[in-house]
Amino acid sequence: MTDPADEHSAPLEIRVAEAGPYVVTGGVPLSRRRRVLSEEGEPLTWQTTEELDAPASYRLCRCGHSGTKPYCDNTHQRIEFDDSEPAGRAPYEEAAKEYPGTGVTVRDVRSLCQHAAFCANRETNVWKMTKRSEDTRVRAELMGMVERCPSGALTQQVGGEAVEPDLRPGIGVVDDGPLAVTGGPSGLVTVRHVDGTRESRPRMTLCRCGASANKPFCDGSHTEAEFHDSGPSRTV
């Protein structure tokens, strides 16, 4: 029998079980998160609403139909859960398109976008802002928007070096949305795909509605699928 204490010292990992749940090991902290919106409905920042008392290892639903969300209750065994992943997914560094600006280069992999909408507002977006980044005020706003992108579709480089927010390792259960996986200097959480390949990035979003065409990553399908597991986002 495995000593539970040993599981906390195990690598921080999310294993994607074939036609099954996410199996989380290593004592990865789990919380509930939501977007904080402006009166215009624009996302401003993230808010942690609850720290969940998760054990050292646990299983999270990814078919979207568990009765004990965010945890798995084996409903995937009773439904036709399609967990197929797209073939030939390229690593981030190969797939990223670069948008150079003054003092910062934005990199973007559109297929990873989960449409959290931190990258734009009523007046502009990060792609347009790179062209005006000689203005340090614009550059600061641009970099803050990139850092709040939960999927890591958007990243940035300064002087050729990646710049990432200092995030703790964890999994955020986003209201009516995906699982937001974070990591930083104190550790990255590794996603182990069904085929055994591993992927670690400081920011990733994993599908938990079962409808994404880019599994295990979220592609925003939870909105069209009308997936619900929480109350509405907070408006200020």
Side-chain angles (χ1 to χ4, degrees), residues 35-45 116-118 120-124 234-236:
R35 295 181 305 163
V36 177
L37 305 179
S38 73
E39 62 277 7
E40 300 293 338
E42 298 171 333
L44 300 174
T45 189
F118 283 97
N121 55 40
R122 286 168 292 159
E123 299 179 352
T124 188
R234 181 186 177 192
T235 299
V236 294

Side-chain angles (χ1 to χ4, degrees), residues 30-94:
L30 186 67
S31 62
R32 285 194 176 273
R33 302 178 70 195
R34 61 166 57 127
R35 295 181 305 163
V36 177
L37 305 179
S38 73
E39 62 277 7
E40 300 293 338
E42 298 171 333
L44 300 174
T45 189
W46 288 101
Q47 178 188 28
T48 298
T49 58
E50 183 183 5
E51 297 287 350
L52 300 177
D53 187 18
S57 62
Y58 50 93
R59 303 186 309 153
L60 297 176
C61 173
R62 72 183 184 106
C63 74
H65 295 281
S66 172
T68 58
K69 298 181 187 69
Y71 301 105
C72 171
D73 68 356
N74 294 324
T75 297
H76 58 273
Q77 297 176 357
R78 303 191 300 272
I79 65 173
E80 296 182 2
F81 173 46
D82 178 10
D83 73 332
S84 56
E85 298 184 13
R89 183 188 286 121
Y92 185 92
E93 298 296 329
E94 295 179 14

Side-chain angles (χ1 to χ4, degrees), residues 56-216:
S57 62
Y58 50 93
R59 303 186 309 153
L60 297 176
C61 173
R62 72 183 184 106
C63 74
H65 295 281
S66 172
T68 58
K69 298 181 187 69
Y71 301 105
C72 171
D73 68 356
N74 294 324
T75 297
H76 58 273
Q77 297 176 357
R78 303 191 300 272
I79 65 173
E80 296 182 2
F81 173 46
D82 178 10
D83 73 332
S84 56
E85 298 184 13
R89 183 188 286 121
Y92 185 92
E93 298 296 329
E94 295 179 14
K97 183 175 181 179
E98 294 191 349
Y99 296 84
T102 301
V104 64
T105 295
V106 173
R107 299 187 299 169
D108 181 16
V109 176
R110 284 292 81 204
S111 63
L112 294 175
C113 178
Q114 68 111 130
H115 306 288
F118 283 97
C119 56
N121 55 40
R122 286 168 292 159
E123 299 179 352
T124 188
N125 59 54
V126 297
W127 300 275
K128 294 178 180 178
M129 293 167 75
T130 59
K131 301 176 182 178
R132 299 188 292 114
S133 55
E134 71 280 357
D135 184 330
T136 55
R137 293 172 299 179
V138 172
R139 193 187 316 164
E141 182 180 5
L142 158 67
M143 295 180 73
M145 292 166 77
V146 169
E147 287 186 348
R148 289 189 289 276
C149 169
S151 68
L154 293 174
T155 63
Q156 56 197 344
Q157 292 180 330
V158 174
E161 297 292 329
V163 176
E164 283 285 339
D166 186 7
L167 301 172
R168 69 167 187 168
I171 299 174
V173 181
V174 178
D175 280 5
D176 302 333
L179 299 171
V181 183
T182 58
S186 57
L188 292 175
V189 180
T190 297
V191 171
R192 176 154 54 107
H193 296 275
V194 172
D195 65 4
T197 58
R198 289 173 165 82
E199 186 167 358
S200 298
R201 291 184 284 112
R203 292 170 286 139
M204 298 181 281
T205 47
L206 302 179
C207 172
R208 69 184 184 106
C209 73
S212 174
N214 191 36
K215 293 183 184 71

